[in-house]
Amino acid sequence: MSDQALSGKTGVVFGVANKRSIAWAIAKAWHKAGARLIFNYQGERLRENVEELISEFGADTQMFPCDVTNDAEIEAFFSRVKEVAPKLDLLLHSVAFAPKEALEGDFVSTTREAFRVAHDVSAYSLVALSRAAAEFMTDGGSILAMTYFGAVKVVPHYNVMGVAKASLEASARYLAADLGARKIRVNCISAGPVQTLAARGIAGFSAMLKHYEEHAPLKRSCSPDELGHTGVFLASDGAAAITGQVLYVDGGYEIMGM
Ligand code: NAP
């Protein structure tokens, strides 16, 4: 893969909250590989944070507000993108949320509202964003979403987020089938545990990291930089025939039966 594998490409990045965000690691790698990026931020609370971070890419790097549960904000976001970029090539979906209490107790206690919110923010948003972005992917494109092993196996405390990630992964497959004829690929990276703001909301997260150090073939999870490299690969022509897949970047943990 060349250093400038994404040269000439434009991408939109959803999910930078701070410098520890996985979205930030992938954005840095995409930028280094030559892509021009446009960011979302969710409400005024995060505006300054994101503004300060993206200034690293040059003063002309743009960001627009977008809460992914709000159709009007998604429409407004992409109409502003259209004003500044003639076409889009890349979309990163690195967004998830579930009410804290749903990630603490047992899964059977999940309320209807927590189930709805988790799926709206973490899974349906991929469908809504892909539909909006695909309109501008006139020369093909690559859509990438972040997922976790809790989608396919039971991980203590991950609860409704695991069910939402299963929906995200299935959505990626259906989107890949729909959009393939337009040369738009849709893939997921299933990352091992990484210390981020969202991860801190999961009860027992430190124990999860330790578990990977003890049980993954590589005796560790993954680093944000490694997720960045994988993100560049999946966005590049090196992955031109790969779509609808979930690629595990987890120290090999996923292959273990015991
Ligand atoms: P993070 O930095 O907290 O990123 C999560 C992002 O989702 C934040 O920017 C958050 O913004 C955003 N978000 C939540 N609700 C939103 C909404 N309604 N509209 C727009 N944005 C919204 O944590 P992260 O760990 O990097 O998470 C990124 C992705 O990686 C998630 O899909 C997560 O499930 C996945 N992942 C994480 C790990 C891990 O161990 N960290 C492992 C595998 C997969 P606010 O802060 O404003 O809510």
Side-chain angles (χ1 to χ4, degrees):
M1 207 170 19
S2 91
D3 271 1
Q4 290 290 297
L6 305 181
S7 163
K9 300 204 186 285
T10 302
V12 287
V13 173
F14 283 81
V16 174
N18 56 44
K19 68 175 189 327
R20 285 181 198 275
S21 296
I22 290 172
W24 182 238
I26 294 178
K28 279 194 297 184
W30 277 7
H31 175 78
K32 194 165 171 223
R36 172 196 172 189
L37 301 177
I38 300 164
F39 293 80
N40 93 309
Y41 62 95
Q42 198 215 160
E44 286 307 306
R45 190 171 51 86
L46 284 184
R47 187 194 174 106
E48 260 179 52
N49 256 3
V50 181
E51 206 160 41
E52 196 182 317
L53 280 174
I54 69 170
S55 63
E56 191 177 297
F57 296 157
D60 59 342
T61 304
Q62 269 147 322
M63 57 178 227
F64 305 120
C66 186
D67 177 329
V68 300
T69 60
N70 185 320
D71 286 331
E73 288 196 23
I74 293 176
E75 202 186 320
F77 177 91
F78 281 96
S79 49
R80 297 195 63 186
V81 167
K82 199 179 174 185
E83 286 166 16
V84 297
K87 70 168 174 72
L88 269 185
D89 307 283
L90 315 170
L91 163 68
L92 175 63
H93 176 287
S94 187
V95 169
F97 177 78
K100 194 165 168 38
E101 64 279 7
L103 303 173
E104 286 168 350
D106 47 12
F107 174 68
V108 74
S109 308
T110 308
T111 62
R112 188 182 297 275
E113 181 59 6
F115 192 96
R116 186 194 67 73
V117 168
H119 283 72
D120 191 8
V121 179
S122 317
Y124 180 73
S125 57
L126 178 68
V127 183
L129 296 181
S130 296
R131 184 168 57 240
E135 237 190 272
F136 305 113
M137 291 181 164
T138 48
D139 195 19
S142 173
I143 296 173
L144 189 55
M146 295 306 305
T147 187
Y148 178 61
F149 183 60
V152 289
K153 296 285 176 188
V154 174
V155 173
H157 307 301
Y158 204 62
N159 297 355
V160 71
M161 190 51 86
V163 183
K165 290 298 191 193
S167 169
L168 177 80
E169 292 179 9
S171 299
R173 288 188 284 274
Y174 277 88
L175 288 166
D178 276 359
L179 300 175
R182 289 150 72 179
K183 285 201 302 174
I184 299 171
R185 302 181 291 105
V186 187
N187 291 292
C188 297
I189 293 179
S190 185
V194 180
Q195 281 283 10
T196 63
L197 194 65
R200 260 187 263 149
I202 301 160
F205 183 77
S206 307
M208 258 165 102
L209 269 180
K210 190 152 179 280
H211 188 77
Y212 275 65
E213 282 161 19
E214 284 163 1
H215 299 285
L218 298 177
K219 302 297 169 210
R220 64 187 183 87
S221 176
C222 61
S223 72
D225 281 357
E226 289 163 341
L227 295 173
H229 289 307
T230 309
V232 171
F233 166 64
L234 285 174
S236 74
D237 289 346
I242 300 177
T243 196
Q245 302 301 309
V246 177
L247 185 54
Y248 284 83
V249 181
D250 66 344
Y253 183 81
E254 184 262 344
I255 64 166
M256 301 302 289
M258 216 177 124

